[in-house]
């Protein structure tokens, strides 16, 4: 039997990242067809104090990798965050999908009780059990950034809808 911690995380990340990648590709094609400056979308924000699209995608990928790695008990891959184009974001999502697809579901066994330490050694250090980390922190953070990326695209006129956000399930 596959760990519920695995089935509650990796397949969810795969589904929404794959959908996000399709939405970014749709946007890149529309930008190219209309000869629009790509930064008009990449740097778009829903509100001045929210991160732009490029950062929303980076953070969603960071959470998919980080949550999966911590629950699997492996090192979190280092990411430099230097994406500046739709092609860069496409590669980032590919890399993230490849990483989480390469994790063995068996390594998630028992992770619901594993202690996860966030921001170790800092004043913001927080310790959570694996179940709380996934359900109360990791998934909500991932969904927030994935949803915000979708909303930025939709707000800026990209012809995508709820089915595009959800992807195949």
């Amino acid at each position: 039997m596959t760990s519920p911690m695995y089935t509650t995380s990796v397949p969810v990340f795969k589904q929404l990242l794959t959908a996000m990648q399709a939405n970014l590709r749709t946007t890149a094609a529309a930008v190219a067809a209309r000869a629009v400056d790509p930064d008009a979308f990449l740097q778009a924000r829903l509100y001045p104090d929210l991160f732009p699209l490029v950062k929303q995608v980076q953070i969603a990928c960071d959470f998919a990798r980080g949550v999966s790695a911590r629950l699997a008990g492996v090192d979190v891959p280092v990411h430099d965050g230097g994406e500046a184009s739709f092609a860069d974001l496409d590669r980032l999502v590919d890399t993230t999908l490849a990483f989480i697809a390469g994790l063995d579901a068996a390594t998630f066994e028992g992770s619901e009780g594993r202690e996860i330490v966030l921001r170790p050694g800092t004043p913001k250090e927080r310790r959570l059990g694996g179940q709380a980390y996934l359900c109360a922190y990791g998934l909500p953070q991932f969904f927030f950034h994935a949803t915000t990326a979708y909303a930025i695209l939709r707000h800026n006129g990209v012809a995508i809808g709820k089915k595009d956000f959800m992807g195949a399930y």
Side-chain angles (χ1 to χ4, degrees):
M1 180 175 165
T2 303
S3 166
M5 295 294 284
Y6 176 86
T7 57
T8 305
S9 59
V10 172
V12 174
F13 295 141
K14 285 181 183 178
Q15 176 185 331
L16 290 180
L17 287 173
T18 300
M20 178 188 292
Q21 187 173 48
N23 293 334
L24 291 168
R25 288 175 178 169
T26 296
T27 304
V31 164
R34 296 188 325 210
V36 174
D37 179 4
D39 275 345
F41 286 86
L42 293 166
Q43 296 305 317
R45 301 167 187 256
L46 288 178
Y47 196 77
D49 69 351
L50 287 175
F51 288 127
L53 174 66
V54 68
K55 187 71 170 171
Q56 298 293 344
V57 174
Q58 290 167 339
I59 295 172
C61 289
D62 287 347
F63 272 97
R65 285 189 315 274
V67 169
S68 300
R70 288 181 186 97
L71 293 177
V74 302
D75 290 336
V76 177
V78 177
H79 171 250
D80 68 5
E83 291 78 23
S85 69
F86 283 107
D88 291 343
L89 292 177
D90 193 64
R91 283 188 293 278
L92 173 61
V93 175
D94 274 342
T95 301
T96 302
L97 287 168
F99 172 75
I100 64 176
L103 295 172
D104 183 355
T107 61
F108 286 72
E109 289 297 331
S111 65
E112 60 277 353
R114 181 176 295 141
E115 183 179 58
I116 307 295
V117 182
L118 302 174
R119 298 184 178 138
T122 72
K124 291 185 177 184
E125 181 175 292
R126 180 125 187 222
R127 295 174 181 273
L128 300 165
Q131 182 75 36
Y133 170 66
L134 174 61
C135 295
Y137 180 77
L139 285 174
Q141 290 279 355
F142 172 78
F143 281 119
F144 175 85
H145 294 286
T147 301
T148 302
Y150 165 83
I152 290 169
L153 296 177
R154 188 72 182 101
H155 176 75
N156 282 282
V158 180
I160 53 176
K162 184 177 180 180
K163 285 174 51 178
D164 300 297
F165 172 78
M166 296 284 296
Y169 54 91

